[in-house]
Amino acid sequence: MPKFAANLTMLFNEMPFIDRFAAAKAAGFAGVEYLFPYDFDKALLREQLEAHGLTQVLHNLPAGNWAAGERGIAILPERTAEFRDGVFRAIDYAKALDCDQLNCLVGIAPVDADPHELQETLVGNLRFAASTLARENIKLLVEPINTLDIPGFFLNGTEQAVQLIAEVRSNNLFIQYDIYHMQIMEGDLARTMQEYLPQIAHIQLADNPGRHEPGTGEINYPFLFRHLDAIGYRGWIGCEYKPRTTTLEGLSWHAARTFET
Ligand SMILES: O=C(O)C(=O)CO
């Protein structure tokens, strides 16, 4: 059975963020992930992880002005210095939280931007980040995201991610495979995860449509969990979904282990 991490950005929204670590532990999780730690003091977050025996599975590199709609700056030529500063900030937090993988949200392509210039900027930034993180034994991930939720996002499919990784030419750059996003963009989930398993460092889940808990949509999660076990996936699966009701009700699938049958 895979290792599940609670995504504290999406789950337990009925309580303040800092209280969600205890709730994740109480719900049976051994790990947590969330978008960004940067609004909190490192010591406070570390204290929560240690107090509840949780692993910090993942967080993201700084991704620009999130409230203003930015979803990453790695493709933006004029933001390279900011991107590189963000890499060091993300490492500082990752080392304080014993987190060994960081995701880079690549960004939304500006209207009329030259895609070749965006790609060139992205490759250069990822090459820098992957080598800098490698020195700290931290993996760098990139996540293809569906264009319905984030129109214009620059990385949208698994093949595109594989080609990007080849262009960066780093052995420290991997795929964050979000089942929900890839169901929308390409389907063929089981075969794709099997074919690219060596390049997939992290998986996230939600059902589709609606991005709610498994069992609320079209994705056959009982099959996928057995498939991931069978093909030897040993990473974490981040539960990144909007619970239909409260989080604990939304987690019934996880608590009941109904998918082990
Ligand atoms: O939006 C998502 O799916 C993410 O995982 C952001 O990191």
Side-chain angles (χ1 to χ4, degrees):
M1 194 66 177
K3 297 180 294 185
F4 295 102
N7 184 294
L8 301 185
T9 303
M10 299 273 260
L11 300 178
F12 305 108
N13 272 232
E14 59 269 28
M15 62 186 72
F17 181 82
I18 211 64
D19 297 339
R20 299 178 191 176
F21 293 81
K25 185 65 176 180
F29 288 100
V32 295
E33 63 175 39
Y34 40 92
L35 270 177
F36 308 110
Y38 311 112
D39 288 343
F40 296 90
D41 182 83
K42 295 190 289 286
L44 178 63
L45 294 172
R46 185 175 182 90
E47 183 185 296
Q48 284 297 313
L49 292 167
E50 289 177 346
H52 303 293
L54 294 167
T55 299
Q56 173 87 11
V57 170
L58 174 97
H59 59 262
N60 288 277
L61 300 183
N65 185 338
W66 194 265
E70 294 187 326
R71 293 296 182 266
I73 58 174
I75 59 173
L76 303 176
E78 70 282 5
R79 309 277 286 270
T80 300
E82 179 185 346
F83 174 84
R84 295 185 177 210
D85 289 345
V87 169
F88 293 110
R89 189 158 189 233
I91 290 172
D92 182 43
Y93 269 80
K95 289 170 74 174
L97 305 177
D98 292 333
C99 178
D100 65 4
Q101 51 187 19
L102 297 173
N103 180 51
C104 171
L105 288 161
V106 300
I108 296 170
V111 174
D112 300 331
D114 173 2
H116 300 293
E117 187 181 15
L118 300 180
Q119 179 76 4
E120 197 175 295
T121 303
L122 178 58
V123 168
N125 280 334
L126 291 177
R127 197 168 285 153
F128 168 82
S131 60
T132 307
L133 266 60
R135 290 197 289 274
E136 307 290 347
N137 295 315
I138 298 170
K139 288 180 180 172
L140 179 64
L141 283 51
V142 281
E143 181 189 19
I145 290 184
N146 85 73
T147 52
L148 297 180
D149 289 349
I150 308 185
F153 194 76
F154 195 70
L155 182 62
N156 314 118
T158 307
E159 282 289 345
Q160 184 190 1
V162 169
Q163 286 164 22
L164 173 62
I165 291 171
E167 201 172 336
V168 171
R169 294 197 310 279
S170 164
N171 60 9
N172 192 42
L173 180 57
F174 301 86
I175 295 170
Q176 176 169 300
Y177 188 89
D178 186 306
I179 293 170
Y180 160 75
H181 289 313
M182 293 301 95
Q183 173 65 5
I184 291 171
M185 295 307 290
E186 55 192 39
D188 205 12
L189 303 169
R191 189 196 61 79
T192 304
M193 287 190 281
Q194 183 161 2
E195 180 170 355
Y196 296 112
L197 188 66
Q199 292 180 277
I200 294 173
H202 188 61
I203 292 174
Q204 293 176 316
L205 65 74
D207 217 327
N208 184 60
R211 203 171 192 178
H212 298 300
E213 53 268 36
T216 58
E218 64 192 354
I219 300 172
N220 186 342
Y221 274 105
F223 168 79
L224 286 180
F225 292 152
R226 289 192 296 270
H227 176 70
L228 286 168
D229 273 345
I231 64 175
Y233 176 70
R234 295 291 176 264
W236 289 86
I237 300 183
C239 297
E240 191 184 35
Y241 62 82
K242 299 174 289 190
R244 267 259 171 87
T245 51
T246 65
T247 299
L248 287 180
E249 286 152 307
L251 279 169
S252 59
W253 65 274
H254 177 261
R257 282 282 190 268
T258 51
F259 293 126
E260 273 179 337
T261 53

